[in-house]
């Protein structure tokens, strides 16, 4: 357990991405490419495809359900919609240690592998009045 | 009507903010201030308070319903949740003209006053598969 504040050991640097969950929708995909003048980076998740559309220094993440999993569960409950917001941190492990010590409820107790070589962890939505927050340590940030 | 492409006259520069709608929740407000090490800029809207939390060069916008209006309508339908995503553009009027010419359905046909001295317009969610998108021309961007 942490006895003093470890806040100084990590900080939020910015908005990393905002995620939107939906089913397959080529028209919406084309419209987003057109609006942002970009092509997404796609990766396969557990029951979904994740597409990252770069915009300035941040991303829009489209989560497309392809089978059972967290994205399909969200769609079954709420229909297509914005799913979570992700912040860039400079050091994820100390962030989780500090948040836990301050009584913040975590979904992921330890950093796990995310897209594009990042480390990620989700904070429980109860901590922010229902807003699902992800913390992202981008590849190379901790080295 | 626009006869050729006016795409070159405007562009999306980055993610401006992501908005989350909820009722009054001082605990969640404090938790967000703590996570982002910031205090929000608050403005009154029609039936809601809008609080902007700076994070890097972008914002998290918390929309707190205070009476009848679009935020309360959203809460009645979906409960607390992420509401829309906003992109910074360098020139909003040409953006709307161009999008309309390309058949994109708009909520706001012309720029209107937004928070912090900005000009804003919403695109209809049907254009992006259910994702409500706002375009923001920050104060001073067009001068």
């Amino acid at each position: 357990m942490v006895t003093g504040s470890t806040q100084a050991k990590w900080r939020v640097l910015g908005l990393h991405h905002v995620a939107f969950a939906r089913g397959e929708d080529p028209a919406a995909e084309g419209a987003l490419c057109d609006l942002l003048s970009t092509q997404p980076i796609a990766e396969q998740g557990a029951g979904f495809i994740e597409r990252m559309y770069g915009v300035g220094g941040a991303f829009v993440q489209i989560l497309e359900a392809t089978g059972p999993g967290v994205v399909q569960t969200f769609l079954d409950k709420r229909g297509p919609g914005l799913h979570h917001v992700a912040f860039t941190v400079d050091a994820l492990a100390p962030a989780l240690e500090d948040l836990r010590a301050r009584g913040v409820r975590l979904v992921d107790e330890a950093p796990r592998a995310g897209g594009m070589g990042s480390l990620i962890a989700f904070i429980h939505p109860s901590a922010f009045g229902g807003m699902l927050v992800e913390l992202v340590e981008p590849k190379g940030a901790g080295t």
Side-chain angles (χ1 to χ4, degrees), chain A residues 28-109:
Chain A
E29 208 176 305
L32 197 58
C33 289
D34 206 27
L35 180 74
L36 303 180
S37 305
T38 190
Q39 290 294 319
I41 299 163
E43 288 191 39
Q44 187 72 48
F48 62 89
I49 297 171
E50 168 186 313
R51 291 191 182 85
M52 298 293 270
Y53 295 77
V55 53
F59 299 89
V60 175
Q61 179 184 70
I62 301 294
L63 300 169
E64 180 184 316
T66 55
V70 291
V71 179
Q72 190 58 55
T73 301
F74 176 90
L75 292 176
D76 291 344
K77 275 189 196 164
R78 296 183 63 99
L82 289 163
H83 185 269
H84 67 266
V85 55
F87 300 111
T88 307
V89 296
D90 54 355
L92 184 53
L96 296 180
E97 186 185 1
D98 182 40
L99 290 168
R100 191 168 37 236
R102 289 192 273 148
V104 175
R105 189 171 165 198
L106 305 174
V107 173
D108 297 302
E109 292 290 333

